[in-house]
Amino acid sequence: MDKSELIKYWIDTSEQDYNTMLNLYKSKDYHWSLFLGHLVIEKLLKAIFVMNVDKNPPRVHDLLRLADISEIKTTEEQKDTLDLITTFNISARYPDYKRNFYKKCNQEFTSSNIEKIKELRIWLLSLIGKK
């Protein structure tokens, strides 16, 4: 794949995950919706990495690290949000964290964080030139 095809790949798969995130939220699978929210942001960051740095994004899931190496300027609030969303990846996947995370993921907690994911998504798409 050339660079533009890779960028499109990351954007398209992020969009699919975004729709899945919303469907999981509607079905009240809150912890999985937040896990997918992490993937939405991770894939957009990887699109930006391809756009700004190199064709091969690193195999990392730390969103703040991805933003930094993708040469994105972030505010302190965005950094905090990226760090928070990164925890959704770990918490939803590993059994020792999963149970506590599952209990925390009520409608209010999930809704609030879905809004943060939506805001980051819009901002990242604007950096790519998509809206």
Side-chain angles (χ1 to χ4, degrees):
M1 279 195 238
D2 69 16
K3 193 172 180 174
S4 64
E5 290 171 323
L6 280 171
I7 293 167
K8 182 178 179 347
Y9 164 80
W10 288 114
I11 294 168
D12 289 350
T13 58
S14 174
E15 187 66 21
Q16 291 168 349
D17 291 344
Y18 179 74
N19 291 325
T20 302
M21 175 192 77
L22 296 175
N23 288 331
L24 287 168
Y25 177 75
K26 285 179 195 169
S27 69
K28 300 183 181 187
D29 286 320
Y30 296 136
H31 69 295
W32 287 119
S33 69
L34 292 175
F35 175 77
L36 264 288
H38 172 272
L39 291 177
V40 168
I41 301 305
E42 179 181 329
K43 290 176 178 184
L44 290 176
L45 288 168
K46 288 183 176 182
I48 294 170
F49 181 88
V50 171
M51 191 172 75
N52 291 347
V53 181
D54 189 16
K55 282 179 62 173
N56 300 307
R59 294 181 180 192
V60 297
H61 308 292
D62 182 322
L63 301 180
L64 184 54
R65 182 163 178 248
L66 275 171
D68 288 342
I69 63 176
S70 298
E71 302 175 354
I72 298 172
K73 292 186 190 321
T74 52
T75 66
E76 287 304 313
E77 182 180 349
Q78 289 166 329
K79 288 177 185 179
D80 290 344
T81 303
L82 290 168
D83 272 341
L84 173 66
I85 295 169
T86 295
T87 68
F88 302 158
N89 177 45
I90 296 164
S91 298
R93 291 176 75 178
Y94 298 104
D96 47 338
Y97 296 104
K98 196 174 190 174
R99 187 166 177 83
N100 289 332
F101 184 61
Y102 184 82
K103 289 177 186 176
K104 187 191 295 189
C105 290
N106 60 27
Q107 193 274 334
E108 182 181 340
F109 176 83
T110 305
S111 176
S112 170
N113 286 296
I114 292 280
E115 288 307 311
K116 292 174 185 177
I117 291 165
K118 288 178 178 181
E119 288 173 21
L120 274 178
R121 177 179 169 269
I122 290 168
W123 171 64
L124 292 171
L125 285 169
S126 75
L127 295 178
I128 297 168
K130 306 272 184 191
K131 290 190 182 185

